[in-house]
Amino acid sequence: MTSQDQTPVNSAEEALKHIVDGFRHFHQEVFPQQQELFKKLATAQAPRAMFITCADSRIVPELITNSSPGTLFVTRNVGNVVPPYGQMNGGVSTAIEYAVMALGVQHIIVCGHSDCGAMRAVLNPDSLEKMPTVKAWLRHAEVAKTVVHDNCNCATEAESMGVLTEENVIAQLQHLRTHPSVASRLASGQLFIHGWVYNIETSEIKAYDAVEDRFLSLSQATNIPSASPKGRF
Ligand code: ZN
């Protein structure tokens, strides 16, 4: 066997070795330095927020919010989608109900991002012909596509992508509000929802502001933008 024949095997082994080496470094160097924290976390969690984002490897919720373990209750999927209540009793709906009812989180953040492959696929559905599961899943983003298609005179694909990514976050926030546990605590003012778009290249986050009905820079806003409706009870 020539060395060329072994290349794919080697590169797969290399990839795993990097991950295992990383674990060993964490286990031997990082963990001992934070033993107190991990001891506290061993038997309980009290996260400050639920964070729903894309499965994209470039989005690291704890990194971009400078959070420690135990701070964020994270749910990830292709396109940071939240299926409307009742349509699918899957992982996202389960995680939402658990976060709100069992953990009592007060904030749910839906975070999209720049250069999202899921958003690109929504714009170019032909690319999903051989991925029926992805195609079915991204039907939950169809509403955003229609909003953009009907209302945006987008000149370039980059502009369409930007607007679609924001509209998808708004659509998923609307889906989030169809979940009874969420709707009830929003009505009583005990839960707050947020829609963010993270820019991979610049690290900027734009946050949806329901009062101004637009996305504002999170690094510059004096008041933290919120997508929450006013509580009624
Ligand atoms: Zn993505």
Side-chain angles (χ1 to χ4, degrees):
M1 196 183 271
T2 66
S3 61
Q4 246 180 348
D5 292 333
Q6 292 171 355
T7 309
V9 174
N10 280 343
S11 79
E13 277 175 5
E14 276 294 302
L16 183 63
K17 189 176 178 305
H18 268 283
I19 292 168
V20 173
D21 284 350
F23 159 68
R24 287 177 179 154
H25 172 78
F26 167 77
H27 182 63
Q28 286 155 15
E29 310 288 334
V30 181
F31 182 84
Q33 290 168 18
Q34 299 183 42
Q35 230 158 2
E36 276 307 301
L37 170 66
F38 289 114
K39 201 174 165 191
K40 232 169 65 186
L41 292 175
T43 52
Q45 65 166 330
R48 291 197 179 125
M50 179 178 195
F51 200 97
I52 302 171
T53 193
C54 189
D56 194 299
S57 61
R58 298 166 294 179
I59 315 305
V60 185
E62 289 80 5
L63 180 72
I64 66 175
T65 59
N66 200 28
S67 297
S68 307
T71 307
L72 298 177
F73 188 76
V74 178
T75 296
R76 311 183 65 151
N77 64 68
V78 171
N80 39 275
V81 161
V82 178
Y85 180 74
Q87 282 193 17
M88 202 180 267
N89 290 324
V92 184
S93 308
T94 305
I96 290 167
E97 201 171 274
Y98 187 77
V100 174
M101 303 304 291
L103 300 175
V105 298
Q106 290 185 295
H107 297 278
I108 301 179
I109 298 158
V110 176
C111 185
H113 67 97
S114 62
D115 196 47
C116 182
M119 293 302 102
R120 189 166 293 116
V122 168
L123 284 180
N124 306 289
D126 290 349
S127 65
L128 296 178
E129 277 318 304
K130 288 186 175 159
M131 291 182 263
T133 314
V134 179
K135 193 174 176 181
W137 178 248
L138 289 178
R139 279 198 201 115
H140 297 301
E142 197 65 28
V143 55
K145 184 185 177 181
T146 305
V147 168
V148 175
H149 183 263
D150 291 352
N151 298 288
C152 177
N153 292 320
C154 301
T156 61
E157 170 142 348
E159 195 186 344
S160 301
M161 278 283 287
V163 179
L164 178 66
T165 302
E166 292 184 353
E167 286 300 324
N168 181 53
V169 165
I170 291 171
Q172 304 316 325
L173 286 171
Q174 284 167 349
H175 294 170
L176 186 59
R177 293 177 60 174
T178 65
H179 290 253
S181 58
V182 173
S184 171
R185 295 208 180 181
L186 280 175
S188 63
Q190 292 173 291
L191 178 69
F192 304 91
I193 58 175
H194 313 273
W196 293 0
V197 175
Y198 171 71
N199 186 311
I200 294 168
E201 195 173 357
T202 65
S203 81
E204 179 59 277
I205 288 175
K206 289 207 284 178
Y208 179 67
D209 188 294
V211 178
E212 294 204 25
D213 199 18
R214 65 189 178 105
F215 282 80
L216 303 172
S217 160
L218 195 56
S219 63
Q220 284 165 18
T222 21
N223 299 315
I224 299 171
S226 172
S228 309
K230 250 186 164 174
R232 299 187 294 281
F233 295 92

